[in-house]
């Protein structure tokens, strides 16, 4: 665990007590060279209940152009049936009170279902944002680690070059003497 503490101190310039649980977990996974990316759609959908999936499907259908156009066709059909075709014995004459009742009941049921689906979409967005943060944090840590490795390698090469230059300088100085 001291390796992780050193890793935290070197990458975050803070102590291990000052970072959150997510950062600690990502640091440990990064230190262990494990992958953290995953299919967020599959991961989020795995926890969905039957009601969640039903609400999503109802919202998907209720918020589509097919539903809107089909419902407009139904309303026109209802009005035509009750005004023109059934002029003497219409089951729902002109102010269409029964149709208004049906539309009110549909709206009363459909609105909360769509709101449930929107809440699930907001939860999905938060879940995906958390996953994005984790992946971005790990990528940033990997980039920092690569920079450190490159810096160490470049400094070692510079030190070796300096030694070679000093040796060449001594060699040239001996020849001049």
């Amino acid at each position: 665990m001291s390796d992780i503490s050193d890793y935290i101190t070197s990458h975050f310039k803070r102590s291990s007590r000052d970072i959150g649980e997510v950062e600690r977990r990502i640091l440990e996974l990064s230190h262990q060279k494990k992958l953290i990316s995953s299919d967020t759609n599959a991961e989020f959908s795995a926890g969905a209940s039957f009601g969640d999936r039903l609400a999503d499907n109802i919202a998907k259908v209720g918020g589509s152009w097919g539903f809107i156009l089909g419902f407009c066709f139904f309303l026109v059909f209802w009005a035509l049936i009750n005004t023109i075709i059934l002029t003497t014995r219409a089951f729902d004459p002109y102010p269409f009170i029964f149709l208004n009742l049906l539309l009110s009941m549909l709206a009363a049921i459909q609105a909360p279902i769509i709101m449930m689906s929107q809440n699930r979409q907001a939860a999905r967005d938060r879940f995906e944002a958390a996953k994005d943060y984790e992946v971005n944090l790990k990528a940033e840590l990997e980039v920092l680690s690569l920079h450190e490795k490159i810096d160490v390698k470049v400094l070692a090469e510079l030190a070796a070059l300096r030694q070679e230059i000093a040796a060449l300088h001594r060699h040239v100085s001996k020849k001049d003497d």
Side-chain angles (χ1 to χ4, degrees):
M1 192 64 178
S2 67
D3 288 340
I4 296 294
S5 297
D6 295 340
Y7 204 66
I8 291 169
T9 305
S10 70
H11 286 79
F12 284 108
K13 309 297 185 234
R14 293 185 273 173
S15 72
S16 59
R17 290 170 296 191
D18 296 336
I19 65 167
E21 187 58 37
V22 173
E23 288 84 3
R24 180 176 303 110
R25 185 173 51 81
I26 298 305
L27 277 167
E28 288 175 8
L29 290 172
S30 178
H31 189 68
Q32 297 167 3
K33 307 290 188 226
K34 291 187 178 179
L35 295 176
I36 61 165
S37 59
S38 62
D39 182 4
T40 56
N41 289 325
E43 202 171 326
F44 187 79
S45 296
S49 68
F50 173 75
D52 292 337
R53 291 190 304 275
L54 182 64
D56 288 344
N57 289 330
I58 289 173
K60 192 182 303 180
V61 170
S64 69
W65 280 108
F67 177 79
I68 293 170
L69 294 175
F71 206 70
C72 286
F73 175 75
F74 169 75
L75 293 174
V76 169
F77 177 75
W78 185 282
L80 287 175
I81 290 286
N82 283 292
T83 56
I84 298 173
I85 298 174
L86 300 174
T87 55
T88 57
R89 295 179 53 179
F91 58 89
D92 188 19
Y94 166 61
F96 307 123
I97 294 172
F98 185 60
L99 178 63
N100 282 328
L101 173 67
L102 293 177
L103 292 175
S104 296
M105 288 190 311
L106 177 67
I109 292 170
Q110 192 178 23
I113 291 173
I114 290 173
M115 288 175 61
M116 286 180 355
S117 180
Q118 287 176 336
N119 288 340
R120 274 191 34 79
Q121 185 60 44
R124 176 188 297 264
D125 291 343
R126 286 190 299 275
F127 180 78
E128 288 178 355
K131 283 293 189 179
D132 287 345
Y133 173 72
E134 290 175 1
V135 170
N136 290 342
L137 179 62
K138 184 164 189 280
E140 188 173 346
L141 291 172
E142 293 297 327
V143 167
L144 287 171
S145 293
L146 287 173
H147 275 289
E148 284 180 4
K149 288 177 185 176
I150 289 172
D151 289 347
V152 166
K153 186 168 177 79
V154 166
L155 288 174
E157 287 179 5
L158 283 175
L161 286 173
R162 282 184 181 147
Q163 288 176 351
E164 288 179 19
I165 289 173
L168 284 173
H169 187 281
R170 284 191 302 270
H171 181 68
V172 168
S173 294
K174 286 181 184 179
K175 280 189 174 182
D176 288 342
D177 292 336

